[in-house]
Amino acid sequence: MNGDEQLLNGRVYGRGHDDPNPGPLPHRTYAELVGGPPDGLLLDIHAWRAEEVDDGVALSTELGQFPGGRALYDPRPGEPRTPGPGVSCRLYYSGETP
């Protein structure tokens, strides 16, 4: 794990490294990002419908193959989700786009 990855591990996507509380909040629902540039970050999906999670996400990142591009993440079909607050599911890296 390089220095950038260590800064990101356990943090919520979109929160800065200088945020006084960059970690998850106990009343929110998150997806764990697995692989790719923001590996180990949590994505806040608290207000998302199941269909939105199923569609996957394209997240802005400066760390990937295309700085300023997007890292693509998708759920694995049939993988269980836990309802309620905390880490509900995982989204897996599927590539990058400029």
Side-chain angles (χ1 to χ4, degrees):
M1 183 179 300
N2 70 30
D4 287 336
E5 291 168 335
Q6 287 175 345
L7 284 173
L8 296 176
N9 200 18
R11 298 183 185 277
V12 176
Y13 174 83
R15 293 196 189 154
H17 68 276
D18 57 350
D19 188 317
N21 186 13
L25 300 173
H27 62 280
R28 306 290 294 184
T29 303
Y30 299 94
E32 178 184 0
L33 301 176
V34 179
D39 182 39
L41 284 178
L42 299 176
L43 178 65
D44 188 335
I45 58 169
H46 186 73
W48 293 25
R49 296 184 329 271
E51 298 81 19
E52 292 174 303
V53 176
D54 290 342
D55 287 343
V57 295
L59 303 173
S60 296
T61 181
E62 294 297 325
L63 301 176
Q65 178 181 0
F66 306 105
R70 299 194 178 268
L72 308 174
Y73 286 84
D74 295 295
R76 287 198 176 143
E79 190 167 280
R81 293 191 188 136
T82 306
V87 177
S88 169
C89 62
R90 291 181 177 179
L91 296 175
Y92 295 88
Y93 177 72
S94 61
E96 295 180 44
T97 186

